[in-house]
Amino acid sequence: MPLNVSLVTPSKQVFQMTCDSVNLPGEDGALGVFPGHAPYVGLMGQGVVHTRGSSEKKVLVRGGFVQVIDDQVSILVDEALEPKDIETEQVQRRQTEIEEALKKTSLKLEERDALYRERSWLQACLKNAAL
């Protein structure tokens, strides 16, 4: 019996498909889901959602939630990018801007944390652009 997987952001449905398994970046580490998985609700982290089966899908995601019930996997994330949609030049320019901003000593702690989180996302984008 296959899994039914849907990946949704606040602005669009990224995909809905059946597959044999899906690997997810959970907030506390990687999670593999196969048919018959126990019911589960958890926080999503940053990384790649990878479906396996007759067709494969890889999507870079960050933030959100995952719910598994009766072979239905619902993934709701803050942001999702398919590797083909990552614009490496734009990502590199933004990384340079962040590096310059981090050199400022006048940044508040919250601002610095936000820049570090964005830098981490941009690094993941560059790493996964070639998937």
Side-chain angles (χ1 to χ4, degrees), residues 8-108:
V8 180
T9 69
S11 61
K12 68 179 181 177
Q13 181 169 7
V14 179
F15 69 78
Q16 183 169 355
M17 65 186 298
T18 59
C19 62
D20 297 333
S21 68
V22 62
N23 290 335
L24 313 162
E27 181 70 22
D28 296 325
L31 173 67
V33 180
F34 295 86
H37 195 284
Y40 175 81
V41 174
L43 293 172
M44 292 289 292
Q46 176 177 289
V48 176
V49 170
H50 184 185
T51 65
R52 290 188 172 88
S54 58
S55 63
E56 280 194 26
K57 193 84 166 157
K58 292 182 181 180
V59 179
L60 181 63
V61 300
R62 71 171 167 173
F65 299 91
V66 60
Q67 177 186 43
V68 180
I69 296 178
D70 297 329
D71 295 332
Q72 303 287 325
V73 182
S74 301
I75 307 166
L76 303 113
V77 294
D78 300 332
E79 192 165 358
L81 281 174
E82 293 190 54
K84 65 179 179 58
D85 295 332
I86 298 171
E87 298 175 11
T88 55
E89 289 178 15
Q90 183 179 355
V91 169
Q92 290 169 334
R93 275 195 303 276
R94 181 64 184 141
Q95 273 190 313
T96 301
E97 292 170 3
I98 288 173
E99 293 303 326
E100 290 302 313
L102 285 170
K103 292 177 183 177
K104 297 178 183 175
T105 57
S106 61
L107 287 175
K108 294 179 183 174

